[in-house]
Amino acid sequence: MDVKSRNYLLMNRQALEKDIKTSYIMDRMISDEVLTLQEEEKVKQQNTQKERAAMLINIILTKDNNSYRSFYNALLHEGYRDLAALLQDGIPAISSGNGKSSMDGMTSYVKTVLCEGGVPQRPVVFVTRPKLVDAIKKKLCCLGSDPGWVTVYGMAGCGKTVLTAEALRDHQLLEDYFPGGVHWISVGKQDKAGLLIKLQNLCSRLEHDSTLSQRPPLNIEEAKDRLRLLMLRKYPRSLLILDDIWDSWVLKAFDNQCQVLITSRDRSVTDAVAGNKYEVHVESGLAHEKGLEILSLFVNMKISELPEQANCLVRECKGSPLVISLIGALLRDFPSRWEYYLKQLQNKQFKRIRKSSSYDYEALDEAMSISVEQLNDNYKDYYKDLSILPKDVKVPTKVLCILWDMETEEVEDILQEFVNKSLLFCDRNGKSFHYYLHDLQLDFLTEKNRNQLQELHKNIVDQYKKYYKLNTPVPSQEDCMYWYNFLAYHMAGANMQKELHDLMFSLDWIKAKTELLGPAHLIHEYVEYSSILDQKNSTVRENFQEFLSLNGHLLGRQPFPDIIQLGLCQPETSEVYQQAKLHAQRETGAFYLEWINKKSLKSLYRLVVRPHRDAVYHACFSKDRRRVASCGADKTLQVFKAESGERLLEISAHDDEILCCAFSADGEFVATCSADKKVKIWNSRTGQCKCVYEEHSEQVNCCQFNNRSGQYLLATCSNDTYIKLWDLNRKYCRNTMMGHVNSVNHCRFSPNDEYVASCSTDGTVKLWEARSANELKSIEITDFFRNADEQPDDVEVLVKCCSWSRNGDMILVVAKNKLLLFDVKTCNLLTQVIVSHHSTIQYCDFCPRDELVAVALSHCSVELWNIKSSSKVAYCRGHMSWVHCVTFSPDGSLFLTSSDDQTIRIWETKKVCKSSDAVLKSELDVVFHNGEVMILVIYNQKHLQLINGNRDSVVMQTAAQESPISCCCLSEDLKFAAFGQENGTIKVLQLLDGKVLKSREAYRTSVQHCRFTSDCQTLISSAHDSIIEVWNWQLNECVFLRGHKEAIKDFRLLGNSKLLSWSFDGTVKVWNIATGNTAKDFACHGGAVLSCAVSPDGSKFSSTSADKTAKIWSFENSSVLHELQGHEACVRCCTFSPNNKLLATGDDKGEIRIWDVLTGALLHLCSPVTVDEGEPTHGGWVTDLSFSPDSKMLVSSGGYLKWWNVTTGESLQTFYTNGTNLKSIHVSPNFKMYVTVDNLGILYVLQKL
């Protein structure tokens, strides 16, 4: 460090130590890379504020000049202007080679040179842009001692003049490269007379100390000659700066073998002059933080103290230094007009944003229009056409070739003219050029041409139609993405109602667009252009919007689903269904399915999105309900529109799974916390990380902002047993709440922000005072789970979650399968509800407007309960795996759920509350009889229903049974039905009236399977044990088949009183059911036998096993014919083809293999071409298979249903069920009807079209 700088620090040390708070100052010095984190820690270890300041000054004294400059700047920006003033004269000079830009480090030599040269002073408010200042210096150094030109170019108001002047405030640069001084002329837009006056003034200035005073030059040529002699003889090695050059002919007057720097909007302005040329492009936008910094300096406030409109103002200024400075200067004079100026900017009222300042143009619109006026007339028309370009979009050349009906080269020449004049920007990355306007230029153009916009939009649509006729763009064309993104935007802008209607309601367009872009953009367009699309009525638009909203999670996946098949699943009154039906009927040879009984199913959700590639642990609404933030196992934070699912942000936020996320009350920030022990705060609009907190020592489970706007408080809790409170305006934790003795799982602010509630694995809920961090109350939740004879230590209760009532008087707590409602004042239990006996509660949330509580359960469902009446209001099914989170919108009209199945579903509360709670079990039996499909199902666990599948009507329903029903079967003549129960009872009933004819307490465990023999007199059953029971129910006689050593997996009848059974013991047995004796015994596999199939000719059977093999056996020889190897997971199912030639096997990896029965050779591996990463091939295990009568097709069930071409192994069609885990598929003999039930209890009766 210079001796002078060191002395200034020592001289003013006492004042500095007394006043400064070090934390924010150190933040700035760390970001300037002059202070290390270790040094920061050293300062923080000091006990008092004064000691910390003293330690920081000691560290600075050991460092170089850059540290002094950084410390000075930090004082200035953190509001210590008086202290900064004490250090100002000690600021060391800066050299151009050291990579740092100058701030206030001007020597008296520099001041003199710049003052004599007429260089403008620094603006009153100035923020450094070091990269650009350094770039200008480097180009000036490149000139060396040779004549040449440096062009600093950029659009109006981007800061060219200020940056150029700043680059000259460098002692070393001036001394080494321009010892003859610098001479600044503000040129501007001039005619020849004006230019002559500028030249005369310059010559007069350069001759000012000459003994012989000459007359002014009479013309430009004479002035040019005199200037050349002066620069050559009197001012060798000096720099001439020409600020704001508009025309290349002006430069010719200065083209006299000297060194010149010019600022201009026109990059090509130096084309007409000779010599070395260098360019510096000044970007059009300041960073958001820099914009806030300028505003804060103008209004003399800290950034953290600026009103909330400041962020919006900077965003609306689009990063333009000119606009931010104009607004800042106006606000300095009128401090209460934040809202007013924000509205003027939002409404594009540029004329009203005017300020008399050093800038040449009074108002913003004048500054921009003067650039356009310089274009010749036909170019002005081309530039006007750009008024309809979308914001923030880089447009490929091909789009403009179509618009102007020109060759690529002609278009590029026109656009280059705009680029040279900083009226357009060009991105040259990739194969072709892409062009875009700065937001302010586009705003100016749209405002200027407002009355012609509709016509301009119509023109581009007409040109598109002329070029593409009836075709649609294909992905290989460079303009393809532009049209899919913006064709509807142009049609809407042109108010072309019919064209927009035809486009948006075309399944071909929807298919092409969603394959490329996913569904969210289309949903957004339906919402955005609803006023045009709904001119006749809104029904059609609502049909299409709902179709995309509810199928969006499918349309984003690979392989891309058949959109016609998805459309056929819509209600028959829907326009989507009607279009899909027409498409399906037109396509010859295609395979499509009609869902016959879909009328009975009503969709309760409003939107389904799949933003993550792994489990979604948490999601929440912003306060205005417009956005949703979500996080999960893929370590990303996503923010998307709640209306359409359109992604707004995707951030790789942490190094491990993200467990929770939360919006701040004003929606400006999103907090995330993770298993990586970190808490991070993000700007919810830009995705910029505001701060990282690392004080927790174990994974952080939950983060929640306070409820009131204006103050940013965040509560976090962790496995380290602590709850921490953070103030976003501070770098470190404000309070730590200590009291739990095990992991803290959840925390929430009370509605008035006075208290924080926390839930822990230690079995307690604690209430804390937010201000003091003192523990107020502790509730032992364990007490409510203890039986009378249990000791306190015997019961372990993990308290998962809590939620406050709207008024803060009550708190709802979740543990195991119970909801517990407590009075906050007395801690008395008000209500307890046992929600489920089969699953645990993962999360709960109080509805903000009534007594409703939403509960997320581990068995894939969500329930709504009325906590006052302790009654279940609704049951929401849709997720295919554990539901981790359920959260209401702030007004309670919507709630969202997130799950392990990678989806987030948004539900309408009113719609859900009106729904019925009807669920079928996946065990069912089907008889195809005289063209009718009769289906026996288990309804709501304790009833049997007989359903006519063709008519979607219930034929018969039994009364509720005393024990849940576990399996059922129909007799072939449709006279009888039988069912087994969880208590081991078997019953036979008459289908005509549902009357129970016979009942038998057969087993001690749940009955697994039951089947009638063909004469309907005997019922065969098995349970969770090794015995099969053969019950002649009419004679009430029983035969027991004993021989298996482990539980029976399943059995099937062979005819001739024979039965084939297979077991977890690895054996397959053939029984004589009349005698109960074993006819044949096959030791088939080392692992459990999971399925068997018998060949149509009855000579062979196949077995599949958990040992990943399948085998083909001969009944006659009791020997294995072929062992089929190659599966990489348990082989779950198998079936022979009707022609006896093929065997199909399916495994738990989702793969299906087709084998030659005669040779045992593998013929085909059936699997899609592409599958999303981490997705099983069949959406899960393959559970059932069935061939068509001609052996040419195969249907399989798993996560969904698939049909295959047996000859090629290719997929013919996929039917996506609402749920997953289909256990079986029942197929009609003619292969035209299919019946199954998914894990949500939804029945599917499908018919081939």
Side-chain angles (χ1 to χ4, degrees):
M1 187 183 295
D2 288 355
V3 175
K4 183 182 173 188
S5 305
R6 190 180 174 79
N7 287 342
Y8 267 87
L9 260 182
L10 293 167
M11 204 162 54
N12 297 295
R13 181 174 189 145
Q14 203 170 352
L16 291 165
E17 287 177 4
K18 185 178 167 188
D19 286 348
I20 64 169
K21 290 179 182 173
T22 54
S23 59
Y24 286 142
I25 287 172
M26 290 196 294
D27 286 349
R28 286 195 172 271
M29 294 181 74
I30 288 167
S31 69
D32 286 345
E33 298 177 2
V34 298
L35 194 72
T36 66
L37 292 171
Q38 290 80 3
E39 287 165 340
E40 181 194 32
E41 201 54 45
K42 202 170 170 184
V43 172
K44 283 186 340 199
Q45 284 167 2
Q46 307 308 307
N47 296 323
T48 66
Q49 180 184 313
K50 190 171 180 181
E51 286 171 358
R52 287 192 284 276
M55 177 57 75
L56 178 60
I57 290 166
N58 285 340
I59 290 169
I60 295 168
L61 285 166
T62 64
K63 294 178 173 285
D64 60 8
N65 291 341
N66 292 330
S67 308
Y68 188 97
R69 286 189 206 96
S70 176
F71 181 52
Y72 169 80
N73 291 334
L75 289 173
L76 204 61
H77 287 292
E78 292 304 326
Y80 298 105
R81 290 171 185 251
D82 50 342
L83 294 177
L86 297 176
L87 299 183
Q88 185 163 355
D89 290 341
I91 295 172
I94 198 164
S95 68
S96 63
N98 67 1
K100 296 278 177 185
S101 54
S102 80
M103 263 302 293
D104 288 64
M106 288 209 300
T107 60
S108 55
Y109 165 72
V110 172
K111 285 178 186 173
T112 306
V113 170
L114 298 190
C115 184
E116 287 177 354
V119 176
Q121 291 188 348
R122 214 180 253 154
V124 180
V125 169
F126 172 74
V127 291
T128 180
R129 292 161 80 184
K131 281 187 181 170
L132 284 166
V133 171
D134 285 351
I136 295 169
K137 287 184 193 176
K138 279 176 185 161
K139 297 301 182 190
L140 287 171
C141 295
C142 289
L143 286 174
S145 54
D146 299 326
W149 307 80
V150 173
T151 307
V152 179
Y153 71 96
M155 67 176 277
C158 66
K160 303 181 290 291
T161 301
V162 174
L163 290 166
T164 300
E166 191 61 24
L168 299 175
R169 292 186 180 96
D170 186 323
H171 185 107
Q172 208 73 49
L173 178 74
L174 298 181
E175 196 171 64
D176 293 354
Y177 292 92
F178 309 111
V182 296
H183 312 289
W184 186 291
I185 314 160
S186 294
V187 180
K189 187 85 186 87
Q190 298 295 343
D191 57 12
K192 290 196 174 179
L195 179 62
L196 179 58
I197 292 167
K198 293 274 179 189
L199 285 164
Q200 287 170 341
N201 289 341
L202 177 60
C203 291
S204 167
R205 229 166 71 197
L206 296 176
E207 293 168 339
H208 68 96
D209 60 347
S210 179
T211 47
L212 290 170
S213 181
Q214 297 188 54
R215 63 165 176 77
L218 299 176
N219 55 50
I220 290 174
E221 278 306 312
E222 187 184 339
K224 179 180 176 181
D225 208 40
R226 190 178 300 179
L227 183 61
R228 181 177 59 79
L229 292 169
L230 280 167
M231 297 300 280
L232 189 67
R233 294 174 183 170
K234 194 171 179 188
Y235 298 99
R237 293 190 67 202
S238 65
L239 178 67
L240 192 58
I241 301 111
L242 307 177
D243 185 29
D244 198 20
I245 293 291
W246 283 83
D247 301 295
S248 54
W249 66 265
V250 171
L251 287 189
K252 289 183 179 174
F254 300 92
D255 188 6
N256 47 25
Q257 294 296 297
C258 60
Q259 296 177 313
V260 186
L261 183 149
I262 65 166
T263 71
S264 178
R265 303 178 194 189
D266 189 345
R267 181 187 181 186
S268 62
V269 78
T270 55
D271 288 355
V273 292
N276 296 327
K277 292 169 193 170
Y278 304 95
E279 289 179 352
V280 178
H281 178 222
V282 179
E283 297 101 333
S284 49
L286 284 174
H288 190 80
E289 289 301 317
K290 287 280 183 194
L292 288 174
E293 196 178 331
I294 291 177
L295 279 185
S296 72
L297 290 168
F298 264 112
V299 296
N300 200 20
M301 294 165 80
K302 287 186 177 178
I303 291 176
S304 57
E305 295 168 356
L306 291 172
E308 56 189 60
Q309 293 98 329
N311 275 303
C312 302
L313 264 172
V314 171
R315 269 199 296 276
E316 287 298 327
C317 289
K318 323 294 186 196
S320 165
L322 164 65
V323 187
I324 295 171
S325 299
L326 282 173
I327 297 285
L330 288 162
L331 285 166
R332 185 174 54 198
D333 297 343
F334 304 102
S336 60
R337 289 192 183 175
W338 290 88
E339 193 64 42
Y340 172 76
Y341 290 125
L342 176 58
K343 278 183 183 159
Q344 299 311 323
L345 271 179
Q346 286 170 336
N347 297 333
K348 321 293 181 233
Q349 295 297 320
F350 301 128
K351 286 184 173 68
R352 295 192 189 169
I353 300 166
R354 48 177 65 240
K355 175 80 184 169
S356 53
S357 66
S358 58
Y359 197 66
D360 290 352
Y361 311 104
E362 270 196 12
L364 182 58
D365 63 323
E366 193 186 329
M368 288 192 280
S369 67
I370 198 158
S371 298
V372 180
E373 292 308 313
Q374 291 304 301
L375 297 169
N376 64 40
D377 288 345
N378 61 331
Y379 274 58
K380 280 181 193 169
D381 286 338
Y382 290 130
Y383 195 63
K384 182 168 67 178
D385 285 342
L386 306 184
S387 307
I388 51 155
L389 294 186
K391 274 194 177 179
D392 302 318
V393 173
K394 295 179 179 178
V395 180
T397 315
K398 176 82 178 289
V399 171
L400 297 161
C401 292
I402 292 170
L403 172 60
W404 293 331
D405 200 7
M406 289 182 182
E407 294 295 320
T408 305
E409 291 75 12
E410 289 178 275
V411 170
E412 285 175 352
D413 288 347
I414 294 168
L415 297 174
Q416 190 57 42
E417 182 71 17
F418 302 150
V419 171
N420 287 340
K421 291 190 168 17
S422 299
L423 289 169
L424 187 69
F425 297 91
C426 179
D427 182 355
R428 293 165 192 268
N429 295 332
K431 293 177 185 172
S432 65
F433 294 170
H434 285 66
Y435 298 91
Y436 60 101
L437 288 161
H438 185 275
D439 280 4
L440 282 172
Q441 290 170 327
L442 192 52
D443 288 345
F444 166 72
L445 270 178
T446 48
E447 191 61 30
K448 186 184 177 192
N449 302 308
R450 181 163 296 285
N451 297 332
Q452 298 171 64
L453 292 180
Q454 190 169 323
E455 193 53 43
L456 293 171
H457 278 294
K458 184 177 182 302
N459 184 36
I460 196 170
V461 175
D462 290 343
Q463 290 297 103
Y464 166 86
K465 286 161 70 181
K466 178 182 166 187
Y467 185 85
Y468 279 107
K469 299 181 175 68
L470 296 174
N471 303 315
T472 52
V474 294
S476 58
Q477 294 166 312
E478 63 164 297
D479 60 325
C480 161
M481 293 302 281
Y482 181 86
W483 299 117
Y484 281 120
N485 272 301
F486 300 112
L487 183 56
Y489 157 77
H490 290 304
M491 286 178 174
N495 200 22
M496 299 170 83
Q497 199 249 339
K498 183 186 180 302
E499 287 84 350
L500 185 65
H501 192 283
D502 292 347
L503 182 80
M504 298 288 286
F505 302 150
S506 151
L507 277 180
D508 289 331
W509 177 259
I510 290 169
K511 180 180 188 296
K513 179 160 178 166
T514 48
E515 276 198 50
L516 282 171
L517 299 171
H521 192 263
L522 254 174
I523 298 169
H524 168 73
E525 287 179 331
Y526 286 124
V527 175
E528 185 85 0
Y529 309 134
S530 56
S531 58
I532 302 171
L533 295 169
D534 295 353
Q535 279 178 14
K536 287 180 183 171
N537 69 60
S538 62
T539 312
V540 176
R541 194 256 313 156
E542 285 166 359
N543 289 165
F544 277 90
Q545 189 175 326
E546 184 176 80
F547 169 60
L548 287 169
S549 297
L550 303 186
N551 290 289
H553 60 302
L554 299 174
L555 293 168
R557 75 199 297 168
Q558 290 293 336
F560 193 83
D562 187 321
I563 207 154
I564 308 302
Q565 182 58 63
L566 289 178
L568 287 169
C569 296
Q570 296 302 292
E572 289 182 15
T573 53
S574 165
E575 177 71 21
V576 180
Y577 170 82
Q578 287 160 21
Q579 273 200 43
K581 188 92 181 252
L582 285 172
H583 271 274
Q585 287 166 344
R586 278 203 306 263
E587 284 188 45
T588 50
F591 188 95
Y592 287 111
L593 298 138
E594 184 85 81
W595 182 4
I596 295 175
N597 66 321
K598 67 188 167 200
K599 283 194 212 82
S600 57
L601 189 76
K602 287 183 175 63
S603 178
L604 302 177
Y605 27 87
R606 178 165 163 170
L607 180 72
V608 186
V609 288
R610 195 162 166 253
H612 293 271
R613 293 174 293 282
D614 209 330
V616 189
Y617 292 145
H618 196 83
C620 57
F621 287 98
S622 61
K623 198 165 189 177
D624 62 6
R625 215 187 75 173
R626 291 180 181 174
R627 293 177 294 157
V628 171
S630 64
C631 61
D634 65 0
K635 308 174 194 173
T636 68
L637 167 69
Q638 309 276 350
V639 179
F640 57 89
K641 289 183 182 175
E643 184 80 53
S644 64
E646 188 177 358
R647 182 176 285 147
L648 300 170
L649 272 185
E650 179 176 21
I651 305 166
S652 295
H654 286 267
D655 302 325
D656 208 333
E657 296 185 334
I658 306 176
L659 305 177
C660 187
C661 59
F663 272 108
S664 60
D666 61 3
E668 279 299 309
F669 299 107
V670 179
T672 54
C673 62
S674 164
D676 67 6
K677 310 175 193 173
K678 293 175 188 171
V679 178
K680 296 187 181 183
I681 312 296
W682 309 88
N683 184 308
S684 71
R685 299 181 195 282
T686 65
Q688 191 177 0
C689 186
K690 177 180 165 62
C691 45
V692 181
Y693 299 130
E694 299 187 59
E695 291 187 31
H696 282 293
S697 57
E698 291 189 43
Q699 79 171 31
V700 189
N701 296 314
C702 179
C703 56
Q704 289 283 330
F705 274 103
N706 62 326
N707 299 300
R708 284 180 296 191
S709 295
Q711 186 187 19
Y712 297 113
L713 281 182
L714 182 75
T716 60
C717 60
S718 160
N719 281 4
D720 62 12
T721 74
Y722 301 135
I723 303 106
K724 288 182 180 284
L725 274 190
W726 313 84
D727 183 334
L728 263 58
N729 295 321
R730 301 184 188 177
K731 192 169 181 185
Y732 303 101
C733 170
R734 188 176 103 164
N735 279 324
T736 300
M737 301 169 183
M738 295 177 276
H740 285 293
V741 294
N742 209 328
S743 304
V744 189
N745 303 310
H746 194 249
C747 58
R748 269 194 183 177
F749 279 97
S750 62
N752 62 6
D753 292 337
E754 287 182 16
Y755 307 107
V756 174
S758 61
C759 307
S760 168
T761 307
D762 64 14
T764 66
V765 170
K766 292 184 187 287
L767 303 182
W768 314 79
E769 197 175 58
R771 187 169 296 197
S772 65
N774 291 333
E775 183 182 325
L776 287 177
K777 291 170 182 170
S778 184
I779 306 171
E780 286 284 345
I781 304 300
T782 313
D783 294 346
F784 302 95
F785 289 85
R786 193 181 296 133
N787 298 326
D789 56 342
E790 286 181 312
Q791 296 301 309
D793 295 342
D794 295 343
V795 184
E796 219 178 46
V797 177
L798 188 154
V799 188
K800 269 274 175 80
C801 168
C802 64
S803 183
W804 295 83
S805 62
R806 182 175 47 176
N807 58 11
D809 292 346
M810 299 178 288
I811 190 162
L812 184 72
V813 178
V814 160
K816 292 191 174 178
N817 61 345
K818 280 186 186 177
L819 289 174
L820 303 152
L821 187 68
F822 293 95
D823 183 292
V824 170
K825 279 183 184 169
T826 63
C827 293
N828 292 339
L829 180 69
L830 301 174
T831 310
Q832 70 169 312
V833 179
I834 296 174
V835 171
S836 167
H837 290 284
H838 302 286
S839 63
T840 57
I841 303 173
Q842 298 296 104
Y843 206 86
C844 73
D845 198 30
F846 243 123
C847 182
R849 61 184 186 192
D850 45 35
E851 299 89 33
L852 269 188
V853 172
V855 179
L857 297 164
S858 58
H859 70 228
C860 320
S861 67
V862 173
E863 294 176 358
L864 296 189
W865 286 75
N866 183 313
I867 200 70
K868 226 176 191 176
S869 62
S870 300
S871 60
K872 191 199 292 188
V873 176
Y875 174 83
C876 313
R877 52 190 183 171
H879 283 293
M880 301 186 192
S881 190
W882 279 37
V883 184
H884 288 289
C885 164
V886 56
T887 316
F888 280 101
S889 61
D891 63 357
S893 63
L894 304 173
F895 64 93
L896 60 75
T897 53
S898 67
S899 164
D900 263 355
D901 66 10
Q902 305 178 15
T903 68
I904 294 165
R905 289 166 195 257
I906 296 178
W907 313 70
E908 291 187 49
T909 311
K910 252 188 204 166
K911 217 191 238 187
V912 168
C913 290
K914 290 176 184 168
S915 65
S916 63
D917 181 7
V919 180
L920 306 181
K921 284 190 78 166
S922 49
E923 289 76 13
L924 77 163
D925 197 17
V926 182
V927 171
F928 298 97
H929 183 74
N930 296 333
E932 296 276 286
V933 183
M934 302 306 291
I935 307 159
L936 188 68
V937 295
I938 302 163
Y939 169 78
N940 280 0
Q941 298 208 337
K942 292 191 174 182
H943 300 267
L944 268 194
Q945 272 188 357
L946 183 66
I947 297 171
N948 183 311
N950 304 66
R951 294 196 295 273
D952 190 20
S953 59
V954 177
V955 178
M956 180 278 299
Q957 181 174 313
T958 66
Q961 302 300 308
E962 70 284 357
S963 168
I965 301 170
S966 51
C967 63
C968 61
C969 66
L970 281 167
S971 65
E972 285 178 24
D973 59 8
L974 292 175
K975 288 182 180 176
F976 307 107
F979 60 90
Q981 294 174 259
E982 287 184 8
N983 64 3
T985 304
I986 303 170
K987 294 180 181 177
V988 177
L989 57 84
Q990 194 164 269
L991 282 177
L992 192 64
D993 53 10
K995 181 184 172 187
V996 174
L997 301 174
K998 285 283 171 74
S999 175
R1000 173 177 167 76
E1001 291 180 13
Y1003 300 96
R1004 290 179 182 171
T1005 58
S1006 177
V1007 184
Q1008 292 300 294
H1009 302 285
C1010 59
R1011 280 190 195 93
F1012 283 104
T1013 52
S1014 55
D1015 61 6
C1016 308
Q1017 293 184 12
T1018 304
L1019 185 71
I1020 303 168
S1021 61
S1022 66
H1024 271 310
D1025 60 21
S1026 59
I1027 299 166
I1028 298 169
E1029 193 167 296
V1030 181
W1031 175 35
N1032 186 319
W1033 60 274
Q1034 292 188 335
L1035 301 175
N1036 210 13
E1037 292 174 353
C1038 236
V1039 175
F1040 298 98
L1041 310 182
R1042 291 185 170 92
H1044 284 295
K1045 292 186 175 65
E1046 289 183 44
I1048 308 294
K1049 180 70 176 79
D1050 207 348
F1051 57 82
R1052 65 169 289 168
L1053 286 152
L1054 295 175
N1056 302 326
S1057 300
K1058 295 280 198 300
L1059 179 93
L1060 186 76
S1061 68
W1062 52 97
S1063 160
F1064 287 98
D1065 63 10
T1067 67
V1068 174
K1069 296 181 189 292
V1070 179
W1071 306 87
N1072 184 320
I1073 58 173
T1075 63
N1077 295 330
T1078 308
K1080 285 186 185 292
D1081 204 339
F1082 298 86
C1084 291
H1085 294 274
V1089 181
L1090 300 178
S1091 73
C1092 285
V1094 178
S1095 63
D1097 64 6
S1099 65
K1100 306 174 196 65
F1101 77 92
S1102 60
S1103 62
T1104 71
S1105 169
D1107 66 10
K1108 304 180 186 176
T1109 67
K1111 293 180 182 180
I1112 300 174
W1113 302 82
S1114 162
F1115 275 121
E1116 194 179 338
N1117 304 328
S1118 301
S1119 61
V1120 64
L1121 299 173
H1122 302 291
E1123 182 170 344
L1124 312 174
Q1125 295 182 327
H1127 282 286
E1128 295 173 14
C1130 298
V1131 190
R1132 181 88 24 202
C1133 56
C1134 58
T1135 187
F1136 283 94
S1137 63
N1139 64 8
N1140 279 300
K1141 292 180 179 178
L1142 306 171
L1143 177 75
T1145 55
D1147 67 23
D1148 286 2
K1149 201 181 168 191
E1151 289 184 350
I1152 297 163
R1153 290 165 189 257
I1154 297 175
W1155 312 83
D1156 185 311
V1157 172
L1158 193 64
T1159 64
L1162 176 66
L1163 300 175
H1164 291 296
L1165 174 63
C1166 298
S1167 65
V1169 184
T1170 52
V1171 179
D1172 280 350
E1173 190 183 341
E1175 280 275 304
T1177 305
H1178 207 301
W1181 300 351
V1182 181
T1183 54
D1184 202 1
L1185 296 159
S1186 183
F1187 277 99
S1188 62
D1190 62 4
S1191 304
K1192 289 182 178 177
M1193 286 171 71
L1194 178 75
V1195 62
S1196 58
S1197 64
Y1200 33 78
L1201 297 174
K1202 283 192 83 68
W1203 285 259
W1204 307 88
N1205 180 322
V1206 172
T1207 314
T1208 62
E1210 290 171 358
S1211 171
L1212 294 172
Q1213 188 53 273
T1214 304
F1215 185 93
Y1216 289 100
T1217 48
N1218 286 20
T1220 184
N1221 297 352
L1222 312 175
K1223 282 194 176 176
S1224 60
I1225 175 82
H1226 295 261
V1227 184
S1228 65
N1230 64 2
F1231 206 67
K1232 287 187 175 175
M1233 300 284 285
Y1234 314 88
V1235 182
T1236 189
V1237 172
D1238 65 20
N1239 66 336
L1240 303 178
I1242 299 169
L1243 175 70
Y1244 300 87
V1245 182
L1246 308 178
Q1247 183 170 18
K1248 182 178 180 291
L1249 267 178

